[in-house]
Amino acid sequence: MLSADPVRYYLSRNKKVIEASLRVNTIVRGSLKKFLDLKNFIEINPVIISPISDPLNHPVKDPVIDYYGNPYRLTKSMIFHKQLAMIYFERIYSFSPNIRIEPLERRVTGRHLAEFTQLDLEVRNARREDVMDLAEDMINKVVEDVGEHVEPEFLNPKLAKFKKPFRKIKFLDAKEEYGDDFESALSNEAKEPFWIIDIPLDSREFYDKETAAGSGILRDMDLVYPYGYGEAVSGGEREYEYERICERIRKKGQNESEFSILLEASKIGLKPSAGFGIGIERLVRFIRGLSDITDTTLFPKTIGDLVL
Ligand code: ASN
């Protein structure tokens, strides 16, 4: 529904639906925080504006603001700040507000908001498999906590503690079997969350690590929810060496000068790491069993609409 009248849209919101979502949201965030705090993660405050942000792999407008005469970007993800945080800390996370001015065709997916919160985490010297294992435990813990604190009428009836390890499917195998929209096809038929791994270089940003230089396949992964709920998590191991980052930026046809801050830091010494981000509103949508992500939050920034 396109809203051109922000106040009328706001006043037409369904209190009961949103209240249940916000309760779930509170429990989900508390559960995630406690889970990570008990594993000695340090919470860092979210970065809202910075000279550098995630270029992403699909066309998303870059909102730039004038910061004392310098162009600063609104955060699309905290990926580079996570890599920089690894200089000081071994395990970090942040509940990070992200702004992504998505293409208009994404307004009907039920899964996209132009403003959302991502729990973004990173672990120094970790391998992809370490953080995948962490994500599986984390999701199961959230499901358990929500089940203890929320009445079943407000929850997805399909919610269950999922069997570990989650299934892993290679990106190219999935694409060969199901075609370009393999993620939706697999998500629709799945009854448990599953991983898409080994995503090729042209389908991902430059910062995820290549399995071996020139292989074209990355040490990365997406977690996909079952029952058609789509992508949950996106992450991987990272490129951290100056030459490798330069090569990957060039291969992407991107401009090294745009990432000079990251390159400068990598010359001094970034650390090897792996991590991921999980969208909070999408997690709430899955846990609540909602078709429309708009119903997860009080002030949804629906794509292309005039909203508060
Ligand atoms: N948070 C993701 C990651 O850690 C990046 C993203 O959101 N684009 O890889």
Side-chain angles (χ1 to χ4, degrees):
M1 180 215 359
L2 183 90
S3 162
D5 183 341
V7 175
R8 180 173 298 190
Y9 171 71
Y10 179 62
L11 296 177
S12 73
R13 314 244 38 226
N14 184 330
K15 182 190 170 198
K16 194 171 173 231
V17 170
I18 293 165
E19 190 170 29
S21 293
L22 293 177
R23 272 195 57 219
V24 167
N25 182 71
T26 305
I27 290 159
V28 164
R29 281 179 174 243
S31 173
L32 292 167
K33 178 170 170 47
K34 191 164 172 207
F35 175 87
L36 293 171
D37 291 345
L38 288 172
K39 293 194 181 302
N40 293 323
F41 277 74
I42 302 267
E43 180 173 8
I44 62 171
N45 296 339
V47 172
I48 311 288
I49 53 171
S50 172
I52 187 166
S53 189
D54 192 331
L56 299 178
N57 196 53
H58 64 283
V60 170
K61 198 168 167 269
D62 211 359
V64 175
I65 63 166
D66 180 346
Y67 186 76
Y68 303 105
N70 297 293
Y72 267 48
R73 295 171 162 80
L74 295 176
T75 293
K76 292 196 242 92
S77 96
M78 272 179 58
I79 180 64
F80 301 130
H81 293 85
K82 292 198 299 179
Q83 285 192 273
L84 290 167
M86 291 290 97
I87 294 172
Y88 289 109
F89 301 112
E90 263 172 46
R91 308 168 149 234
I92 59 100
Y93 71 93
S94 190
F95 286 96
S96 163
N98 288 185
I99 300 293
R100 297 186 186 175
I101 314 292
E102 299 280 358
L104 276 177
E105 52 277 15
R106 294 203 162 177
R107 64 193 298 277
V108 292
T109 62
R111 299 191 291 121
H112 287 90
L113 291 172
E115 180 180 74
F116 66 96
T117 304
Q118 163 159 228
L119 169 65
D120 230 341
L121 64 82
E122 198 74 15
V123 182
R124 193 198 287 169
N125 292 326
R127 291 174 58 79
R128 171 178 71 177
E129 287 69 22
D130 302 327
V131 291
M132 288 166 80
D133 187 56
L134 183 84
E136 294 181 7
D137 285 340
M138 199 166 90
I139 294 217
N140 274 335
K141 183 65 184 144
V142 168
V143 168
E144 184 188 316
D145 286 351
V146 163
E148 268 174 31
H149 294 103
V150 183
E151 302 76 2
E153 65 171 301
F154 298 121
L155 299 178
N156 185 343
K158 305 280 173 43
L159 216 55
K161 212 163 171 183
F162 301 108
K163 206 165 89 254
K164 280 183 64 186
F166 299 173
R167 185 178 164 210
K168 297 173 187 65
I169 310 165
K170 289 188 175 169
F171 181 101
L172 290 175
D173 293 347
K175 192 169 168 167
E176 192 181 309
E177 198 171 338
Y178 291 87
D180 281 347
D181 201 14
F182 62 83
E183 189 181 289
S184 307
L186 281 162
S187 177
N188 284 335
E189 69 176 38
K191 297 192 174 4
E192 302 264 323
F194 61 91
W195 295 101
I196 299 287
I197 59 167
D198 293 357
I199 300 166
L201 189 142
D202 55 352
S203 297
R204 232 10 199 264
E205 298 83 357
F206 71 77
Y207 49 74
D208 281 348
K209 192 172 171 56
E210 217 172 349
T211 48
S215 73
I217 301 292
L218 306 179
R219 294 271 307 153
D220 59 358
M221 73 286 180
D222 279 351
L223 181 71
V224 184
Y225 292 123
Y227 303 106
Y229 285 89
E231 187 194 301
V233 163
S234 166
E237 286 171 31
R238 318 300 183 183
E239 298 286 6
Y240 60 97
E241 294 150 311
Y242 175 76
E243 291 298 341
R244 295 290 309 137
I245 300 176
C246 285
E247 190 190 319
R248 295 289 308 283
I249 292 175
R250 279 197 299 267
K251 266 196 186 155
K252 250 351 225 177
Q254 280 161 333
N255 201 334
E256 280 168 44
S257 63
E258 216 186 296
F259 304 102
S260 55
I261 291 169
L262 181 76
L263 290 169
E264 203 180 306
S266 71
K267 270 191 208 160
I268 299 162
L270 288 173
K271 311 287 180 194
S273 67
F276 62 80
I278 176 164
I280 299 295
E281 291 83 354
R282 287 183 177 182
L283 177 56
V284 170
R285 173 178 177 257
F286 172 63
I287 287 178
R288 290 268 285 114
L290 300 168
S291 56
D292 187 355
I293 199 160
T294 305
D295 291 333
T296 63
T297 182
L298 187 57
F299 296 107
K301 289 283 181 317
T302 51
I303 310 297
D305 292 342
L306 293 178
V307 281
L308 298 178

